Amino acid sequence: MVLLTATTCSFAQKENSKSITIENWLQTDPVSLQLPAFHSTKNIEGKTFELQNLLQDNQLEIDELQPAEKDHLKWNGENLQWSKTAANKKGFTGSKSAENSLLFYASYFSADEWLQAKLIVEAYPMLEVYIDGEKKISHYGEETDDAKELSEELKLEPGKHCILVKVVSGKKNDFKLGITPNKPWDENNITLSLSPEKSITIHKVLDGENVQNIQLSSDGKLALLSFSRTLPPSDNSENWKEIQEIESGKTLYTFRGSQLANIQWLPTGNRISYTKEYNEKTSFFVFDFENGRETEITNSIADFSDYNWTPDGKQIIFSVTKDYSEDWKIRKIQGMEDRLPWFRTRSFLYKLDVASGVKQRLTYGTITTSLQDISPDSKYILFSQSHPDYKEYPYDKQNLYQMNLETFGIDTIWKDKLFGGSAQYSPDGTQLLVQAGPSCFGKLGENIGKQPLANNYDGQLYIFNLKNKKADPITIHFDPSVSQAVWNKRDKNIYLKANDKDYIRLYRYQPTSKAFNTLQINSDVIGNFSLSANGKNIACTACSISSPYKAFVYELASNTSKLISDPQKENLKHVKFGKTEDWNFTKEDGKTIIGRIYYPPNFDSNKKYPVIVNYYAGTSPVERSYGGRYPLNLYASMGYVVYLLQPSGAVGFGQEFSAEHQNNWGITTADEIIEGTKKFLKAHSFADADHVGCIGASYGGFMTMLLQTRTDIFAAAISHAGISDITSYWGEGYWGYSYSVNASGKSFPWNNRKLYIDQSPLFNADKVVTPMLLIHGSVDTNVPLGESIQMYQALKLLGKDVDFVQVKNQDHHIKNYTQRILWNNTIFAYFAKHLKNQPQWWEDLYPDKNL
């Protein structure tokens, strides 16, 4: 058997041999195991206690182990230190220790491609062998003079793998462990190590605890944090909330596995409210942290959906939602939206007086009413109604009303607004902060240059005077696209979250000076943010390219932020990320298209690397976030250079830039991707121009298909949930025609054949020469499955190289845990086949059937 040292992984014997022996290990101190009382007495099944039970009964969370030299393993109250040990000249590893002691051994090996191999163990003692936390081999037999040989077939993904061996010592404690790959390999294919340092993996992306949201108590001293985690290997997950004291960092309460729902802070005092369900009826409760008392506010609310406190804490405005759809075998569709499952659901507003417990209905009718805001003096509410109108672009109208909570009198703020928005009161209640698109008030908020139509996904802010009903478009010259805003009653400033190109930042707008300032938080992408009721602090979640979401509290007076939760720190402590850097190019027309590069860990500029090009090209930029649908750090860790670019039409670059999305459907953006890719390859000698792949989802999936009808520069292309026929998507997708308001405004299949037909990939399928993989969720309601089916059929009939993979019972996003991993591996295996000339992984996942 060939021996490889743990540091050099060089051949020690015959050059053509394929076997590897693990010679270097980390080993813990031995732990004495005690036999149970009456171990020699037969149990009810007539069996006495066997030594193998010592091995099987002493389990630990093996899948979480990432041992390193001088680390400690916590075991039964002891801290066992890991230290180095080595095999003898015959390749056997072992340690002298008292009989019936438990020892742990660990080592690592890395494979640069998908690996099929045989795991071979020669063992004298009882032992169990785990690869990446999964038990592969166990030996429970009695000791003999000869070592017992056991083997197991392995199929391992590219990357670093941990081997862990549990041994119960006996008279002879030696074992030898080897790996025999099924195909020829060299010293570059497999490396051995004692370091847990590894590249990011799909499990590191999906697993571990994640902070989802944070809300501050009224005085800003306590934080309500929302967490989640996956529960592998199942598809289940867990969600819970914690109350943390910000100054000390102590967790005061944990709401885990409880029946509490809709937890939120009251506007006064350190109190929370929540709901509980009893016999399909909802009850309200308040918990006071100062006296530890829970008080029921009201009960027996049917069809409850949501609630908000009035600022004085004396009333609750809540919504009741009911589904009016009926079981049917045949029915008439009443309007385009009536085919959507939720269209016949209606929601209406109620008021609860906390002191008396009296509930009063506030709204009624046939159109859902949605709460927008409650006035600072708690006397008024804003609520809206939206209804379709197929006679006028954009085919939907909004009404906004103000109601007096004492008299129930209503004032109409606006009626039949074509481009509606959300509204909240100013601190003095005389104005509204309106968040909407550029066309909310006609041309007043548009800044689109020569473009004919605005992209109303480009979020804008307006200050609306309730007395004279005039609007001031405060963000008209502010390029970032606003997605969330709040008007601070304390300092009278407006705080907002906005896409600034591929960043998402927090800003302060001062109405007096009309100036925008960036709040300095050490992250690239802001997730959720909230303002404490006293207006002193902001809480937010935020992440960066190589750093998952954390929770921060930002003190407005000092302009300083404090990290209060970093739940992924331990999970990622041994993960090594490759570097990232910006790379932009200038088009022939002078426009700059921004982008960035993800490098593999241990990148060597003297080598050639296959390249993956990623894009979205819809109305949103691909932000600089960690994880997500396409974790580009993970792609780079698989040995690819990843080039991400942001073509024309995305928000966050100014209204004129985003308006280019209108009535384009990919021609400009496809040509920008082609131009950018060519310039990228020319500018970087390490990029292998013969092995370039591209991938995109949704509109990006459409882009993948369209690109292959316009270029042959790619060696492989992957389209997830892509649109092949703009006409069928426009008519069939749940959001097809409504999305087209901002993608093909005022254009239809009957008046713009050039756009709908000539620019649809399906009608140009004969031009495709690139191997293409189509992936689609089988129950996708956004982009129907048929978009991939018809492209697959076209390419098949044309004799093209095409594959089609469906993900069962998944919608537009692949959310199921195990299917997400399989989907991810499908992508990697396809690129490995076409960009690395390594078809084995793909062939193992999808062997040809004799059909």
Side-chain angles (χ1 to χ4, degrees):
M1 182 174 285
V2 172
L3 305 180
L4 301 182
T5 67
T7 54
T8 64
C9 193
S10 61
F11 291 96
Q13 295 182 9
K14 296 180 182 179
E15 185 175 353
N16 294 326
S17 178
K18 299 191 298 180
S19 297
I20 309 162
T21 294
I22 308 298
E23 291 185 304
N24 292 300
W25 295 88
L26 297 171
Q27 174 192 314
T28 65
D29 304 320
V31 180
S32 179
L33 296 176
Q34 304 301 323
L35 292 171
F38 314 116
H39 59 272
S40 60
T41 304
K42 292 181 179 179
N43 66 7
I44 199 168
E45 295 177 333
K47 298 178 180 179
T48 59
F49 185 85
E50 298 179 352
L51 290 178
Q52 71 182 57
N53 298 128
L54 291 176
L55 192 60
Q56 294 170 314
D57 292 347
N58 287 274
Q59 299 294 326
L60 73 161
E61 297 295 330
I62 292 175
D63 58 332
E64 296 179 3
L65 285 177
Q66 302 176 70
E69 186 181 10
K70 297 183 180 180
D71 275 358
H72 287 87
L73 172 66
K74 292 184 178 180
W75 177 259
N76 196 26
E78 297 183 54
N79 285 324
L80 308 180
Q81 182 169 300
W82 293 94
S83 58
K84 290 181 180 179
T85 189
N88 61 26
K89 292 181 180 180
K90 293 183 178 181
F92 279 87
T93 301
S95 173
K96 291 183 178 180
S97 58
E99 287 192 45
N100 301 337
S101 294
L102 181 65
L103 300 98
F104 295 93
Y105 295 86
S107 190
Y108 299 90
F109 72 95
S110 300
D112 71 348
E113 60 181 275
W114 184 84
L115 176 69
Q116 189 167 8
K118 180 175 285 188
L119 176 66
I120 302 173
V121 175
E122 296 179 58
Y124 290 98
M126 288 189 294
L127 55 70
E128 292 176 339
V129 179
Y130 294 79
I131 305 291
D132 298 333
E134 183 178 352
K135 187 192 295 184
K136 293 295 184 182
I137 286 179
S138 57
H139 174 226
Y140 301 129
E142 294 183 1
E143 290 185 18
T144 62
D145 292 336
D146 298 319
K148 175 75 171 180
E149 182 171 311
L150 306 105
S151 64
E152 179 72 15
E153 291 293 331
L154 299 178
K155 292 180 180 179
L156 297 169
E157 299 162 14
K160 180 171 279 190
H161 303 278
C162 178
I163 304 173
L164 186 131
V165 183
K166 289 171 57 183
V167 174
V168 171
S169 64
K171 295 178 182 178
K172 296 184 72 173
N173 299 327
D174 295 347
F175 69 91
K176 178 163 59 174
L177 188 147
I179 299 172
T180 305
N182 285 15
K183 59 169 285 188
W185 57 275
D186 59 36
E187 66 272 16
N188 296 318
N189 294 137
I190 300 172
T191 55
L192 306 180
S193 171
L194 292 182
S195 168
E197 184 179 77
K198 64 192 300 184
S199 301
I200 191 73
T201 66
I202 184 61
H203 293 282
K204 291 295 183 183
V205 172
L206 299 181
D207 297 347
E209 295 184 2
N210 293 282
V211 60
Q212 305 287 334
N213 199 3
I214 177 172
Q215 294 181 335
L216 294 176
S217 61
S218 61
D219 60 7
K221 294 182 179 179
L222 301 179
L224 174 64
L225 292 149
S226 301
F227 294 95
S228 69
R229 67 166 181 159
T230 56
L231 299 172
S234 75
D235 292 325
N236 299 323
S237 61
E238 180 185 17
N239 296 278
W240 72 97
K241 296 181 185 292
E242 296 179 2
I243 302 288
Q244 184 182 123
E245 188 177 57
I246 293 172
E247 185 175 351
S248 67
K250 292 180 180 178
T251 298
L252 305 181
Y253 293 86
T254 298
F255 306 97
R256 206 166 195 144
S258 72
Q259 59 178 331
L260 309 186
N262 303 298
I263 303 175
Q264 61 177 261
W265 293 106
L266 268 69
T268 57
N270 286 332
R271 298 178 294 166
I272 59 170
S273 59
Y274 44 84
T275 62
K276 297 180 183 179
E277 295 294 320
Y278 299 105
N279 298 321
E280 299 183 350
K281 298 290 182 69
T282 299
S283 299
F284 275 95
F285 293 85
V286 168
F287 184 84
D288 193 320
F289 288 101
E290 293 183 3
N291 57 33
R293 182 181 301 168
E294 179 187 68
T295 305
E296 185 180 63
I297 302 301
T298 190
N299 55 40
S300 299
I301 299 176
D303 303 315
F304 166 83
S305 61
D306 197 10
Y307 73 102
N308 291 87
W309 285 88
T310 56
D312 60 9
K314 295 180 179 180
Q315 300 174 97
I316 294 174
I317 308 299
F318 66 93
S319 298
V320 166
T321 300
K322 188 173 182 180
D323 183 1
Y324 289 91
S325 60
E326 301 172 349
D327 291 335
W328 55 277
K329 294 183 178 179
I330 185 171
R331 68 168 180 166
K332 173 188 173 184
I333 300 296
Q334 297 185 186
M336 292 187 290
E337 283 83 359
D338 193 26
R339 68 190 181 93
L340 307 182
W342 56 83
F343 179 67
R344 296 193 181 190
T345 298
R346 297 293 184 269
S347 181
F348 298 99
L349 300 176
Y350 289 73
K351 179 181 73 170
L352 167 68
D353 182 79
V354 174
S356 65
V358 173
K359 296 184 284 286
Q360 293 178 281
R361 184 164 185 155
L362 300 178
T363 61
Y364 189 75
T366 187
I367 303 177
T368 286
T369 52
S370 302
L371 181 69
Q372 297 271 352
D373 198 20
I374 305 170
S375 65
D377 59 8
S378 302
K379 293 182 178 179
Y380 300 92
I381 62 170
L382 291 172
F383 68 88
S384 62
Q385 295 177 327
S386 294
H387 57 96
D389 185 343
Y390 307 130
K391 298 178 182 179
E392 193 171 6
Y393 174 83
Y395 322 114
D396 188 82
K397 293 180 178 178
Q398 184 191 57
N399 304 332
L400 182 66
Y401 303 99
Q402 177 176 262
M403 170 184 280
N404 186 310
L405 287 176
E406 294 181 1
T407 66
F408 291 12
I410 290 179
D411 295 319
T412 301
I413 308 300
W414 60 61
K415 182 81 169 176
D416 291 337
K417 179 172 284 298
L418 289 172
F419 290 92
S422 61
Q424 58 182 280
Y425 285 100
S426 63
D428 62 5
T430 64
Q431 298 172 301
L432 301 180
L433 178 64
V434 177
Q435 183 181 328
S439 305
C440 181
F441 295 95
K443 299 292 183 181
L444 179 68
E446 294 183 355
N447 183 21
I448 59 176
K450 296 180 180 179
Q451 298 297 326
L453 289 174
N455 180 346
N456 277 281
Y457 287 123
D458 200 332
Q460 306 295 311
L461 290 179
Y462 306 82
I463 293 179
F464 181 85
N465 189 298
L466 282 169
K467 186 174 183 179
N468 60 25
K469 296 190 176 181
K470 290 185 178 181
D472 177 16
I474 62 174
T475 56
I476 190 169
H477 299 297
F478 180 69
D479 285 346
S481 175
V482 180
S483 57
Q484 184 184 351
V486 60
W487 205 327
N488 192 346
K489 300 175 179 61
R490 182 181 181 87
D491 62 14
K492 309 301 187 292
N493 294 324
I494 296 169
Y495 294 89
L496 57 122
K497 182 180 78 171
N499 274 88
D500 178 19
K501 300 180 176 65
D502 54 353
Y503 292 85
I504 300 181
R505 307 185 193 274
L506 282 179
Y507 297 88
R508 176 193 289 114
Y509 174 75
Q510 298 171 299
T512 52
S513 65
K514 298 188 176 183
F516 290 91
N517 305 107
T518 306
L519 303 189
Q520 297 301 321
I521 294 177
N522 188 28
S523 295
D524 294 339
V525 172
I526 301 296
N528 299 295
F529 89 91
S530 62
L531 181 70
S532 62
N534 66 3
K536 291 184 177 181
N537 301 320
I538 282 178
C540 70
T541 57
C543 71
S544 299
I545 285 176
S546 302
S547 176
Y549 278 100
K550 305 172 186 178
F552 298 87
V553 173
Y554 188 93
E555 186 180 88
L556 295 175
S558 63
N559 291 318
T560 57
S561 64
K562 179 181 180 180
L563 174 66
I564 68 166
S565 180
D566 183 7
Q568 283 280 351
K569 183 177 180 179
E570 184 68 19
N571 184 39
L572 298 178
K573 69 177 182 179
H574 294 305
V575 172
K576 180 180 180 180
F577 291 92
K579 70 173 182 177
T580 58
E581 64 183 13
D582 294 343
W583 193 82
N584 309 328
F585 74 93
T586 302
K587 292 175 59 179
E588 293 181 1
D589 63 6
K591 181 194 294 183
T592 296
I593 301 299
I594 74 165
R596 55 185 184 266
I597 311 172
Y598 294 75
Y599 292 93
N602 304 315
F603 171 76
D604 183 349
S605 61
N606 295 315
K607 294 182 179 180
K608 283 282 189 181
Y609 291 86
V611 177
I612 295 175
V613 179
N614 183 229
Y615 39 77
Y616 173 53
T619 60
S620 301
V622 181
E623 65 206 27
R624 305 170 70 91
S625 60
Y626 172 87
R629 181 187 294 194
Y630 292 101
L632 300 184
N633 278 312
L634 178 56
Y635 284 42
S637 76
M638 302 297 286
Y640 300 95
V641 168
V642 181
Y643 170 44
L644 179 282
L645 69 161
Q646 313 280 5
S648 299
V651 302
F653 297 80
Q655 288 189 38
E656 187 171 3
F657 190 94
S658 68
E660 292 190 49
H661 189 69
Q662 282 280 22
N663 283 293
N664 191 289
W665 269 100
I667 293 300
T668 297
T669 50
D671 291 347
E672 288 173 350
I673 292 169
I674 294 168
E675 181 180 352
T677 300
K678 289 180 177 179
K679 288 183 175 180
F680 178 85
L681 296 173
K682 185 177 180 180
H684 300 95
S685 60
F686 54 78
D688 186 349
D690 294 326
H691 294 91
V692 182
C694 62
I695 185 169
S698 194
Y699 195 99
F702 159 77
M703 287 304 309
T704 293
M705 296 182 196
L706 184 66
L707 281 167
Q708 310 326 307
T709 70
R710 300 178 68 81
T711 185
D712 62 357
I713 64 173
F714 298 108
I718 299 180
S719 167
H720 174 75
I723 300 160
S724 64
D725 181 356
I726 303 170
T727 61
S728 57
Y729 168 71
W730 170 86
E732 188 180 358
Y734 274 12
W735 296 276
Y737 96 93
S738 60
Y739 174 77
S740 297
V741 167
N742 291 295
S744 48
K746 301 184 180 181
S747 290
F748 306 96
W750 55 87
N751 71 1
N752 196 338
R753 181 183 180 91
K754 183 177 183 298
L755 186 152
Y756 280 90
I757 304 298
D758 295 347
Q759 292 177 207
S760 289
L762 181 65
F763 294 93
N764 295 278
D766 58 322
K767 300 174 183 176
V768 174
V769 296
T770 303
M772 191 184 305
L773 171 62
L774 307 170
I775 313 180
H776 222 116
S778 67
V779 292
D780 194 332
T781 55
N782 185 345
V783 178
L785 179 64
E787 293 299 317
S788 286
I789 291 175
Q790 57 194 3
M791 191 65 176
Y792 177 71
Q793 292 181 170
L795 294 175
K796 269 296 189 183
L797 290 173
L798 288 164
K800 307 292 185 178
D801 187 344
V802 60
D803 287 288
F804 180 28
V805 172
Q806 290 187 36
V807 190
K808 186 177 180 180
N809 294 331
Q810 291 297 287
D811 204 327
H812 200 52
H813 296 268
I814 310 303
K815 295 182 178 180
N816 176 277
Y817 179 80
T818 53
Q819 287 177 296
R820 169 79 186 268
I821 293 171
L822 289 170
W823 168 75
N824 183 82
N825 288 345
T826 296
I827 293 169
F828 285 156
Y830 190 80
F831 276 145
K833 175 183 177 180
H834 290 280
L835 303 185
K836 293 183 175 181
N837 299 317
Q838 297 171 2
Q840 296 87 357
W841 195 359
W842 177 262
E843 291 168 356
D844 183 74
L845 286 173
Y846 303 105
D848 286 336
K849 305 289 186 179
N850 187 23
L851 300 176

